């Protein structure tokens, strides 16, 4: 019976304990919503069988957009008819995940009318996830969202919804305005977000400093991470205050410096900034005393991804330092060049990072018009299998350089 | 009838910022953690902004979101935000609001914490709630693990930060590959090929190309145009199932969980690192996955007891060496721990720097 509250002895176990319970959340929704009631029943069954019951496939979406809706179907539609279709809608979150209660309530009202009453705040990529509705409700949801200025995010082989840390809104370490940049890029690439045209997905994540609170170095095809070029700002009196309050500056700050570029004599903290690696540790440890320098910008890195298909990658340096000022044209020009070569030469479901591995970073840099710099590598090559492109040719006793 | 709008993007963030943030945007001087789950940011102007961070299950009903909204109205002028690890944060310039807010949050089942040297919320995926390729549930394990380590969420007694993440299959929608502790759903048997459906449902060249180890070839089977899978080459990533629904791989008997340790994304001290395999397989044992929660509690306590101040899991293991880690953790080292994919040779021990 689709409208009876299912018996869920296994799930009920997960209502015990101090951590907030997702089961309690589903039950809250299930009091009003038959989809969530069926979801409880289906999930209990998965807990009994140790097996998922969802199928993917089928193209569902809203008119004019190719991404942003994830089609989901139960493989037991006769037993759980209310969730035979149970699609996800990804809604582009506001930068930094800041909300007013008014905006959130409007989203809740739409979802009460048209969906399961369940959400994820937020999905792994950063979107507001409206979890589960049927095909005929997709367009009405989008219609309602238009009235409250919320748009749909990315899915499939497109630009995925960009995300960022809270940056200058609530962090003293932000080396650039992450929320402004995230919003700017999101607006600049609306077409690429909504209409998949790439070999595979492309993610942007904006972190304000090398602490990288949105994990962009691991989770974004383009990682834009704040940094500075000049000297760490030091308030010596405040350093002394930390020491007087019991902080072991020598062991816990100087001793943890990866560049070994600091010295503490009990009164003064000396930093040899020419060798500082901008790791953030000393600034993290002494937030009242130290701050990033004043000449701030970002390091742009490229290519990180999870394992599928060819193995996980971390992003690697593409532009060691760039000032982050709107309209960010220097970065956007590079992006256009990257997309051009990747769309032309990339294989189906080949991320940018994998593409670079396949064609070689040197060739890739040539194709996008960037000069190689030592900041791009952990170390130069170790193997001598070099594809030399310059050589000399004998020419009637003269030697001249030729290009292959 | 309204005009249909498209490509207007998200609402501009500025309208959601509390006045104190608008006034001090880019002017923050420093912050202090006042107590677990509560911090203050101090501006060059002298203004103070208090943040209260509370646990959330990520999967939220609209009624719970409305409760959050009520609290935001009551204490924070209607403002709130969420973090990259699914926590909810309430922002106020009124110090006197902190305690009643914490009390109200706890009353609706949301403990406060996750700041500083603590375990923050577990970034995770959909699992059996909504995923087609899940090898395990996500929310259930997260709930069971966090119930177990809740003390480390609500307090700051750890040497450094500890980030746990969970992905329910190798797709890693939760990008767990750079976490102090990663919980990863795994399959251990190749897909079962529905030969009568492959041609109808899938593009065979795409299916072949989807395999990281080139184990899939086009083949004619029982009169059907289909594929064959070289079993010795399959490492159960489920990528072929994602492009071809006629290759189901989920298997209640053999699916389970692997545990990975020592990754990080922050550049602080050590450069970012991938997580490495600690425990190749633990069974799916819903609803509370006792084998998984025990393993994780043991790893957390081992690190907490032995790491130096600020030392993340991976930095600690790098200092003491992996053999010592396996010995101290009581984990048996097996063939599965040795990499055999691309560039595996770079992970062999190529020195005599050994401890005994």
């Amino acid at each position: 019976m689709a409208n009876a509250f299912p018996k869920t002895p296994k799930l009920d176990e997960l209502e015990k304990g101090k951590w907030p319970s997702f089961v309690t959340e589903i039950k809250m929704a299930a009091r009003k919503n038959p989809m969530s009631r069926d979801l409880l029943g289906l999930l209990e069954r998965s807990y009994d069988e140790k097996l998922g019951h969802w199928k993917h496939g089928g193209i569902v979406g809203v008119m004019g957009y190719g991404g942003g809706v994830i089609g989901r179907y139960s493989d037991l539609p006769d037993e759980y008819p209310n969730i035979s279709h149970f699609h996800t809608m990804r809604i582009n979150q506001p930068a930094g995940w800041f909300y007013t209660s008014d905006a959130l309530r409007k989203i809740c009202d739409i979802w009460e009318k048209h969906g399961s009453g369940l959400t994820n705040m937020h999905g792994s990529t950063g979107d507001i996830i409206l979890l589960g509705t049927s095909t005929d409700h997709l367009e009405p949801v989008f219609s309602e969202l238009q009235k409250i200025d919320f748009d749909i995010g990315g899915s499939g082989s497109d630009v995925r919804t960009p995300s960022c840390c809270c940056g200058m809104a609530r962090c003293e370490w932000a080396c650039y305005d992450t929320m402004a940049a995230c919003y700017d890029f999101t607006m600049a690439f609306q077409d690429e977000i909504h209409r998949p045209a790439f070999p595979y997905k492309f993610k942007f994540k904006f972190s304000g400093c090398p602490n990288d609170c949105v994990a962009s170095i691991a989770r974004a095809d383009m990682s834009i991470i704040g940094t500075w070029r000049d000297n760490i700002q030091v308030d010596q009196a405040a350093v002394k205050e930390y020491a007087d309050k019991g902080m072991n500056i020598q062991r816990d700050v100087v001793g943890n410096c990866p560049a070994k570029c600091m010295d503490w004599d009990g009164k003064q903290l000396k930093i040899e900034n020419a060798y500082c690696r901008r790791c953030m540790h000393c600034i993290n440890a002494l937030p009242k005393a130290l701050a990033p320098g004043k000449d701030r910008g970002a390091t742009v890195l490229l290519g990180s991804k999870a394992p599928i298909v060819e193995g996980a990658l971390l992003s690697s340096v593409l532009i060691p330092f760039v000032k982050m000022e709107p309209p960010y044209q220097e970065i956007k020009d590079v992006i256009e060049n990257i997309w051009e070569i990747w769309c032309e030469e990339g294989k189906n479901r080949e991320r940018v990072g994998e593409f670079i591995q396949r064609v070689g970073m040197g060739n890739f840099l040539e194709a996008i018009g960037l000069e190689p710099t030592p900041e791009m590598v952990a170390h130069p090559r170790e193997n001598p299998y070099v594809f030399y492109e310059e050589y000399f040719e004998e020419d009637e006793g003269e030697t001249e350089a030729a290009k292959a | 009838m309204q005009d249909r709008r498209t490509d207007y993007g998200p609402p501009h963030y500025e309208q959601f910022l509390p006045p104190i943030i608008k006034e001090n945007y880019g002017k923050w001087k420093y912050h202090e953690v006042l107590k677990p789950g509560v911090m203050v940011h101090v501006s060059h102007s002298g203004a103070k902004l208090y943040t209260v961070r509370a646990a959330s299950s990520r999967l939220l009903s609209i009624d719970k979101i409305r409760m959050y909204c009520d609290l935001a109205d009551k204490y924070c002028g209607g403002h709130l935000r969420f973090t990259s690890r699914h926590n909810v944060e309430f922002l106020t310039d009124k110090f006197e609001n902190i305690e009643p807010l914490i009390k109200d949050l706890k009353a609706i089942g949301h403990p406060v914490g996750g700041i500083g040297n603590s375990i923050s919320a577990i970034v995770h995926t959909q699992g059996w709630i909504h995923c087609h390729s899940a090898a395990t549930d996500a929310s259930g394990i997260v709930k069971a693990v966090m119930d177990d380590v809740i003390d480390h969420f609500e307090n700051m007694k750890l040497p450094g930060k500890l980030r746990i993440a969970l992905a329910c299959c190798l797709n890693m929608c939760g990008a767990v590959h750079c976490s102090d502790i990663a919980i990863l759903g795994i399959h251990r048997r190749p897909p079962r090929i529905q030969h009568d459906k492959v041609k109808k449902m899938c593009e065979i060249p795409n299916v072949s190309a989807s395999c990281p180890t080139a184990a899939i070839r086009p083949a004619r089977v029982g009169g059907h145009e289909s594929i064959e899978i070289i079993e010795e080459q399959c490492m159960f990533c489920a990528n072929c199932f994602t492009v071809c629904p006629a290759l189901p791989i989920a298997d209640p008997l053999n699916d389970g969980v692997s545990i990975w340790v020592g990754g990080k994304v922050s550049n602080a001290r050590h450069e970012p690192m991938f997580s490495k395999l600690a425990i190749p397989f633990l069974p799916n044992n819903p609803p509370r996955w006792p084998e998984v929660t025990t393993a994780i509690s043991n790893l957390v306590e081992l690190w907490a007891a032995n790491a130096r101040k600020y030392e993340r899991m991976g930095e600690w293991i790098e200092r003491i060496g992996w053999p010592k880690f396996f010995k101290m953790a009581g984990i048996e080292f097996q063939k599965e721990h040795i990499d055999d994919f691309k560039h595996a040779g770079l992970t062999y021990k190529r020195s005599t720097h050994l401890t005994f």
Side-chain angles (χ1 to χ4, degrees):
Chain A
M1 257 311 283
N3 287 330
F5 230 75
K7 290 211 167 18
T8 52
K10 284 205 168 68
L11 292 176
D12 296 352
E13 278 298 313
L14 292 170
E15 291 202 275
K16 299 168 185 167
K18 262 184 110 171
W19 189 255
S21 169
F22 70 100
V23 175
T24 305
E25 297 297 325
I26 302 176
K27 285 185 177 178
M28 277 166 81
R31 282 202 289 271
K32 298 187 222 168
N33 192 299
M35 289 185 204
S36 293
R37 273 199 290 281
D38 271 2
L39 181 66
L40 272 178
L42 185 81
L43 191 60
E44 180 73 13
R45 185 154 168 171
S46 282
Y47 271 53
D48 280 333
E49 297 174 357
K50 304 181 186 181
L51 189 71
H53 281 289
W54 296 104
K55 294 190 301 184
H56 60 306
I59 304 285
V60 286
V62 299
M63 275 190 307
Y65 284 4
V69 180
I70 322 293
R72 244 342 147 252
Y73 306 87
S74 161
D75 67 2
L76 302 166
D78 298 338
E79 288 162 81
Y80 303 97
N82 294 302
I83 49 171
S84 59
H85 300 196
F86 200 62
H87 312 315
T88 287
M89 300 185 80
R90 291 183 179 162
I91 312 303
N92 197 143
Q93 80 285 2
W97 298 289
F98 284 89
Y99 294 94
T100 55
S101 51
D102 180 54
L104 282 178
R105 284 196 188 97
K106 284 177 179 161
I107 292 171
C108 291
D109 293 347
I110 294 172
W111 201 231
E112 180 150 30
K113 211 164 27 166
H114 291 292
S116 66
L118 292 172
T119 73
N120 290 149
M121 298 301 271
H122 294 78
S124 292
T125 301
D127 303 88
I128 302 165
I129 301 294
L130 300 181
L131 193 72
T133 191
S134 57
T135 309
D136 52 348
H137 278 284
L138 297 172
E139 198 60 43
V141 169
F142 186 38
S143 177
E144 298 283 327
L145 286 170
Q146 287 166 49
K147 294 176 196 161
I148 62 166
D149 294 329
F150 275 87
D151 202 345
I152 288 177
S155 73
S157 297
D158 59 11
V159 167
R160 296 299 182 84
T161 311
S163 75
C164 63
C165 68
C166 65
M168 290 183 166
R170 199 208 50 197
C171 186
E172 66 270 31
W173 297 327
C175 294
Y176 71 97
D177 191 340
T178 53
M179 287 173 21
C182 185
Y183 182 76
D184 181 289
F185 277 62
T186 305
M187 298 312 285
F189 299 126
Q190 280 293 295
D191 189 30
E192 289 81 359
I193 288 172
H194 291 136
R195 290 163 202 91
F198 292 152
Y200 206 12
K201 64 184 83 164
F202 192 95
K203 296 182 176 183
F204 290 102
K205 290 192 187 291
F206 300 83
S207 276
C209 81
N211 282 321
D212 196 4
C213 284
V214 287
S216 73
I217 203 158
R219 308 189 50 185
D221 298 270
M222 181 166 274
S223 318
I224 300 173
I225 301 176
T227 189
W228 65 96
R229 273 190 300 203
D230 53 346
N231 295 349
I232 291 177
Q233 301 178 70
V234 185
D235 175 345
Q236 295 291 355
V239 177
K240 186 85 177 52
E241 200 178 310
Y242 274 110
D244 293 344
K245 283 187 175 159
M247 165 82 82
N248 187 331
I249 306 278
Q250 182 57 43
R251 187 193 66 195
D252 294 335
V253 182
V254 175
N256 273 316
C257 173
K260 304 281 175 278
C261 69
M262 306 178 99
D263 191 50
W264 168 247
D265 61 5
K267 297 189 207 71
Q268 285 263 318
L269 184 68
K270 290 203 183 74
I271 304 174
E272 217 172 336
N273 279 278
Y275 299 105
C276 165
R277 297 180 189 176
R278 280 76 184 158
C279 90
M280 289 299 292
H281 174 74
C282 60
I283 299 171
N284 292 342
L286 309 171
K288 274 179 153 173
L290 306 185
K294 292 177 179 170
D295 182 12
R296 298 177 179 192
T299 300
V300 179
L301 307 92
L302 196 67
S304 73
K305 56 181 288 296
I308 302 291
V309 179
E310 296 283 345
L313 296 168
L314 289 164
S315 285
S316 66
V317 174
L318 189 70
I319 305 171
F321 186 91
V322 62
K323 291 300 265 187
M324 288 296 285
E325 283 145 9
Y328 317 100
Q329 203 51 50
E330 186 184 337
I331 301 177
K332 285 178 189 164
D333 289 346
V334 171
I335 290 166
E336 293 294 344
N337 292 345
I338 291 169
W339 286 348
E340 191 175 343
I341 185 79
W342 177 51
C343 288
E344 186 70 30
E345 305 283 349
K347 293 196 290 195
N348 184 31
R349 299 183 75 239
E350 181 176 51
R351 297 279 288 271
V352 162
E354 291 165 321
F355 174 67
I356 293 169
Q357 300 271 311
R358 180 165 64 85
V359 303
M361 177 64 94
N363 293 331
F364 176 78
L365 291 171
E366 252 172 26
I368 63 169
L370 280 185
E371 288 297 320
T373 67
E375 286 87 355
M376 294 173 177
V377 294
H379 57 76
R381 70 160 66 232
E382 289 171 330
N383 74 71
Y385 301 152
V386 185
F387 291 99
Y388 286 105
E389 292 179 352
E390 285 194 10
Y391 53 89
F392 298 123
E393 278 188 343
E394 295 282 340
D395 185 27
E396 296 171 9
E398 279 182 45
T399 317
E400 41 177 86
K403 261 278 207 197
Chain B
M1 182 67 190
Q2 61 165 11
D3 285 342
R4 195 170 192 283
R5 301 163 67 204
T6 59
D7 301 286
Y8 47 93
H12 196 280
Y13 53 88
E14 201 168 326
Q15 62 193 287
F16 300 133
L17 301 177
I20 180 171
I21 285 185
K22 281 187 192 160
E23 288 153 20
N24 295 282
Y25 198 91
K27 296 182 197 157
W28 300 107
K29 185 165 183 249
Y30 68 90
H31 77 281
E32 282 182 292
V33 181
L34 301 177
K35 60 183 220 172
V38 182
M39 55 183 167
V40 60
H41 282 78
V42 181
S43 164
H44 283 284
S45 72
K48 288 184 174 177
L49 171 68
Y50 301 97
T51 298
V52 175
R53 181 179 294 173
S56 159
S57 52
R58 184 179 92 125
L59 191 150
L60 293 174
S61 66
I62 51 177
D63 286 346
K64 179 57 65 63
I65 295 173
R66 287 166 176 150
M67 288 181 198
Y68 286 168
C69 290
D70 293 344
L71 291 178
D73 286 349
K74 191 171 168 186
Y75 296 112
C76 309
H79 295 279
L80 69 164
R81 75 176 289 266
F82 293 82
T83 72
S84 60
R85 304 192 75 82
H86 318 312
N87 297 299
V88 61
E89 286 184 340
F90 294 87
L91 312 161
T92 177
D93 52 2
K94 296 183 178 62
F95 181 79
E96 63 276 16
N97 283 357
I98 295 173
E99 288 311 317
L101 171 60
I102 292 173
K103 194 162 154 278
D104 284 2
L105 278 164
K106 285 185 174 167
I108 60 167
H110 292 267
V112 165
I115 294 178
N117 292 343
S118 67
I119 297 180
S120 191
I122 300 182
V123 167
H124 63 281
T125 56
Q126 299 289 15
W128 290 331
I129 287 174
H130 207 247
C131 181
H132 67 277
S133 62
T136 186
D137 189 36
S139 299
I141 299 182
V142 165
K143 164 73 174 147
V145 169
M146 288 310 290
D147 277 347
D148 243 28
V149 299
I150 187 82
D151 186 44
H152 290 308
F153 178 85
E154 292 188 290
N155 290 291
M156 300 185 292
K157 296 179 295 197
L158 295 171
K161 292 181 190 302
L162 189 97
R163 299 280 180 254
I164 308 178
L166 181 148
C168 51
C169 83
L170 268 60
N171 260 317
M172 285 198 195
C173 299
V176 306
H177 54 300
C178 296
S179 308
D180 294 288
I181 300 178
I183 306 165
L184 178 63
I186 46 155
H187 304 286
R188 295 190 302 168
R189 296 295 300 136
R192 299 173 299 282
I193 308 166
Q194 299 170 331
H195 292 292
D196 56 331
K197 293 186 181 156
V198 170
K199 179 72 181 152
K200 275 185 265 182
M201 294 171 91
C202 320
E203 293 176 3
I204 289 174
N206 265 351
V207 184
S208 295
S210 74
C211 182
T213 60
I216 301 177
R217 294 189 295 220
R220 235 189 139 67
V221 183
H224 297 286
E225 249 186 278
S226 180
I227 54 143
E228 62 182 1
I229 297 176
I230 306 158
E231 287 212 4
E232 309 75 74
Q233 275 173 244
C234 173
M235 42 69 187
F236 328 111
C237 73
N239 195 37
C240 56
F241 173 60
T242 295
V243 298
C244 179
L247 301 173
I249 190 169
D251 171 7
L253 193 62
N254 287 298
D255 289 350
V257 167
S258 54
I259 308 288
W260 306 66
V261 297
K264 69 195 276 279
V265 289
S266 160
N267 284 273
R269 298 169 310 283
H270 195 291
E271 290 183 338
M273 293 186 269
F274 285 129
S275 317
K276 284 94 177 165
L277 181 63
I279 304 174
F281 178 79
L282 293 169
N284 272 332
N285 199 351
R288 283 210 166 257
W289 279 267
E291 296 85 354
V292 176
T293 53
T294 303
I296 287 174
S297 285
N298 289 345
L299 287 166
V300 171
E301 297 310 325
L302 185 70
W303 164 76
N306 291 284
R308 293 174 181 166
K309 191 175 174 184
Y310 296 118
E311 211 169 33
R312 297 279 294 262
M313 177 79 79
E315 295 171 304
W316 167 62
I317 297 173
E318 195 155 290
R319 175 167 61 83
I320 64 167
W322 285 94
K324 193 73 84 192
F325 165 78
F326 278 97
K327 195 174 169 185
M328 288 169 84
I331 298 169
E332 187 194 348
F333 191 81
Q334 297 162 257
K335 183 182 173 186
E336 287 83 1
H337 286 107
I338 304 172
D339 195 352
D340 48 17
F341 194 52
K342 284 186 294 189
H343 315 304
L346 298 174
T347 69
Y348 303 163
K349 183 69 173 175
R350 296 172 297 169
S351 81
T352 58
H353 287 211
L354 299 171
T355 54
F356 296 104

